[in-house]
Amino acid sequence: DAMVIQNPRYQVTQFGKPVTLSCSQTLNHNVMYWYQQKSSQAPKLLFHYYDKDFNNEADTPDNFQSRRPNTSFCFLDIRSPGLGDAAMYLCATSRDQAYEQYFGPGTRLTVT
Amino acid sequence: GDSVTQMEGPVTLSEEAFLTINCTYTATGYPSLFWYVQYPGEGLQLLLKATKADDKGSNKGFEATYRKETTSFHLEKGSVQVSDSAVYFCALMWTGRRALTFGSGTRLQVQP
């Protein structure tokens, strides 16, 4: 089945130690998104790629970066994780001009 | 700016009870409206959507009608099951912006 895959499902990192989260998709969608969801809160969009065009949300901290080497893969890099960055990180995709976003299962990040 | 307001949870119901989860939005114009569901430990799944006023979205026994007069998109189900226990998110999106604005989510607990 076509799907959005996130690895790992659970990630533990140390305060200040760089970490990378991975997302891949078999839907061949040209738009990929990264959301941050803190406990009991709504998902918050960090940034998205429209093809290779990177779109950062105005309030996304500089500590968060992203890479999209090809259509199928997208990475979220946190350069120096703080305790406040502990959250569920959700990757989503959508087809150009379509409304539905398809979400992966998420990566739960713990910062110690 | 745009915003989505949902009723606070948790909502606790007995099996086969009627469900309503209120959702209202603030936006200039007529965005597309969505309900997403998040089961424990999983990512978000699109439950239903409506793209214009008076549209009714429906799926798995859930329904919601886009009411522009009251800027609302309330979620309803006639008879809930234990398996419906999850967090439900109302969201809006503008065509071309490709980003969802979520409400804070409503946790539904259905007891046998």
Side-chain angles (χ1 to χ4, degrees):
Chain A
D1 288 341
M3 58 177 57
V4 181
I5 302 162
Q6 291 189 243
N7 286 307
R9 293 292 306 276
Y10 301 90
Q11 175 74 58
V12 180
T13 191
Q14 293 177 338
F15 183 94
K17 184 175 181 181
V19 65
T20 295
L21 309 183
S22 167
C23 177
S24 64
Q25 52 127 343
T26 60
L27 297 162
N28 203 33
H29 286 170
N30 62 330
V31 189
M32 295 188 76
Y33 310 79
W34 280 105
Y35 289 86
Q36 180 192 61
Q37 185 181 23
K38 294 189 176 181
S39 181
S40 302
Q41 296 184 21
K44 178 179 177 298
L45 183 66
L46 295 173
F47 26 59
H48 73 276
Y49 273 95
Y50 180 67
D51 292 324
K52 294 185 177 182
D53 183 26
F54 178 70
N55 298 271
N56 199 29
E57 293 298 298
D59 56 354
T60 298
D62 293 340
N63 198 25
F64 291 85
Q65 303 286 322
S66 186
R67 296 171 284 133
R68 189 179 185 187
N70 53 52
T71 299
S72 301
F73 285 86
C74 194
F75 300 99
L76 169 63
D77 300 309
I78 308 177
R79 293 191 298 187
S80 182
L83 297 178
D85 296 327
M88 176 77 85
Y89 289 88
L90 298 169
C91 175
T93 73
S94 68
R95 182 165 51 87
D96 189 28
Q97 302 303 317
Y99 297 117
E100 290 92 335
Q101 292 187 16
Y102 294 82
F103 284 80
T107 295
R108 183 167 296 283
L109 178 68
T110 300
V111 181
T112 61
Chain B
D2 300 341
S3 66
V4 177
T5 302
Q6 292 181 233
M7 60 188 291
E8 288 194 21
V11 173
T12 302
L13 297 173
S14 298
E15 208 164 21
E16 299 184 2
F18 184 86
L19 168 71
T20 300
I21 300 178
N22 290 338
C23 171
T24 58
Y25 68 91
T26 302
T28 52
Y30 305 111
S32 295
L33 300 174
F34 305 83
W35 277 101
Y36 279 84
V37 58
Q38 187 175 33
Y39 298 101
E42 298 184 13
L44 278 72
Q45 299 175 26
L46 177 64
L47 183 59
L48 53 84
K49 68 175 183 179
T51 58
K52 61 182 187 296
D54 300 326
D55 266 2
K56 176 185 281 188
S58 61
N59 186 27
K60 300 181 181 179
F62 291 90
E63 293 183 341
T65 301
Y66 191 142
R67 303 282 189 201
K68 68 176 182 179
E69 309 83 16
T70 54
T71 62
S72 64
F73 193 54
H74 304 322
L75 182 68
E76 297 181 336
K77 186 176 185 183
S79 176
V80 294
Q81 306 300 313
V82 173
S83 57
D84 294 326
S85 299
V87 179
Y88 293 80
F89 290 94
C90 185
L92 67 81
M93 187 172 75
W94 293 102
T95 303
R97 186 174 187 274
R98 298 186 290 272
L100 288 161
T101 298
F102 287 93
S104 56
T106 303
R107 182 176 299 278
L108 170 65
Q109 298 173 336
V110 181
Q111 298 175 337

